[in-house]
Amino acid sequence: KAGVTQTPRYLIKTRGQQVTLSCSPISGHRSVSWYQQTPGQGLQFLFEYFSETQRNKGNFPGRFSGRQFSNSRSEMNVSTLELGDSALYLCASSFFRGGTDTQYFGPGTRLTVL
Amino acid sequence: AQTVTQSQPEMSVQEAETVTLSCTYDTSESDYYLFWYKQPPSRQMILVIRQEAYKQQNATENRFSVNFQKAAKSFSLKISDSQLGDAAMYFCAYRRGSNYQLIWGAGTKLIIKP
């Protein structure tokens, strides 16, 4: 079974631009979560989607948004990029059985904002 | 708010020896789950071991085991017979009930000396 895939793997943008990152979960997985990883703030939860609905949202400004499609694929969008948005963005998928349901992570998208 | 603390920014161990990574957490919830993830230089986040809070028995996965002290809110990871491939950042994470938001510690960098 293929793992979680994220595209693109690397991205360079300039301040003020907008960016869209994509995540394809493991086949059959219905929950997709997004995390931002930076050296200063560590790993922070952005949001989680299940059945095309955002179930949870972290403490990020409205410039960060996401969506999930009927095939469980998810995208996140960051508008009006700032230098501080430079980070590794990780996507995780799970089957959503509750309990210790494991979240499997993709390789991440490295975003650099110049 | 729940928090996760990893007090050891870096640990080193001789190959084939045993090392313990510390993690403490703060929560008022009774239904929660704890995880250890490993992030090697490739940046792919990999689940090492997980523990349900309602289980008294400590989880074990091959050379990896945890010491879960619920009253003390402590969740340490023991790696036995350390191997060069164990070198990575190790993150402790907490999840409340069926909420799929992971709350992360700052991580511990594990160095394996040959």
Side-chain angles (χ1 to χ4, degrees):
Chain A
K1 194 181 266 192
V4 179
T5 58
Q6 292 187 246
T7 55
R9 291 292 310 279
Y10 302 91
L11 208 48
I12 300 176
K13 292 286 188 179
T14 56
R15 280 182 298 173
Q17 286 187 311
Q18 173 180 287
V19 68
T20 299
L21 312 182
S22 180
C23 172
S24 292
I26 292 171
S27 178
H29 284 194
R30 300 166 64 192
S31 170
V32 174
S33 300
W34 288 89
Y35 295 86
Q36 181 196 65
Q37 186 175 23
T38 61
Q41 298 299 316
L43 284 149
Q44 294 183 285
F45 171 78
L46 281 154
F47 25 64
E48 185 239 341
Y49 286 88
F50 174 75
S51 291
E52 302 177 64
T53 301
Q54 186 182 89
R55 294 200 307 156
N56 291 295
K57 188 178 191 306
N59 189 24
F60 278 82
R63 299 185 298 107
F64 291 81
S65 63
R67 59 178 175 169
Q68 186 180 34
F69 302 95
S70 58
N71 62 357
S72 295
R73 190 178 70 86
S74 178
E75 289 182 346
M76 68 163 281
N77 183 277
V78 187
S79 62
T80 320
L81 284 166
E82 300 177 359
L83 295 178
D85 298 333
S86 294
L88 179 68
Y89 290 88
L90 295 168
C91 164
S93 78
S94 61
F95 186 75
F96 187 63
R97 289 174 295 196
T100 53
D101 193 12
T102 297
Q103 289 174 283
Y104 295 89
F105 283 80
T109 293
R110 170 74 66 185
L111 171 65
T112 301
V113 182
L114 303 176
Chain B
Q2 297 89 9
T3 59
V4 177
T5 303
Q6 293 179 251
S7 58
Q8 307 152 315
E10 187 175 294
M11 293 280 286
S12 63
V13 64
Q14 208 71 33
E15 191 177 5
E17 295 193 344
T18 296
V19 64
T20 298
L21 308 184
S22 300
C23 172
T24 58
Y25 59 95
D26 186 26
T27 184
S28 58
E29 303 288 336
S30 58
D31 178 23
Y32 59 89
Y33 305 87
L34 297 164
F35 305 84
W36 278 98
Y37 279 88
K38 164 185 176 181
Q39 188 178 42
S42 67
R43 310 302 279 175
Q44 180 87 41
M45 196 71 80
I46 302 164
L47 178 71
V48 174
I49 200 166
R50 57 194 173 198
Q51 174 81 43
E52 298 94 327
Y54 62 83
K55 286 189 177 179
Q56 292 187 337
Q57 186 174 4
N58 290 323
T60 300
E61 288 286 344
N62 301 313
R63 299 183 293 108
F64 299 87
S65 62
V66 298
N67 183 5
F68 175 46
Q69 300 290 325
K70 190 172 183 178
K73 296 180 181 174
S74 170
F75 183 60
S76 60
L77 174 69
K78 185 173 84 171
I79 305 174
S80 303
D81 185 26
S82 297
Q83 300 175 1
L84 295 177
D86 295 333
M89 283 292 291
Y90 285 81
F91 292 94
C92 178
Y94 163 100
R95 202 186 85 207
R96 173 173 59 89
S98 60
N99 184 322
Y100 273 59
Q101 173 181 349
L102 287 170
I103 298 170
W104 302 84
T108 296
K109 182 178 182 180
L110 180 62
I111 298 168
I112 312 294
K113 299 177 184 176

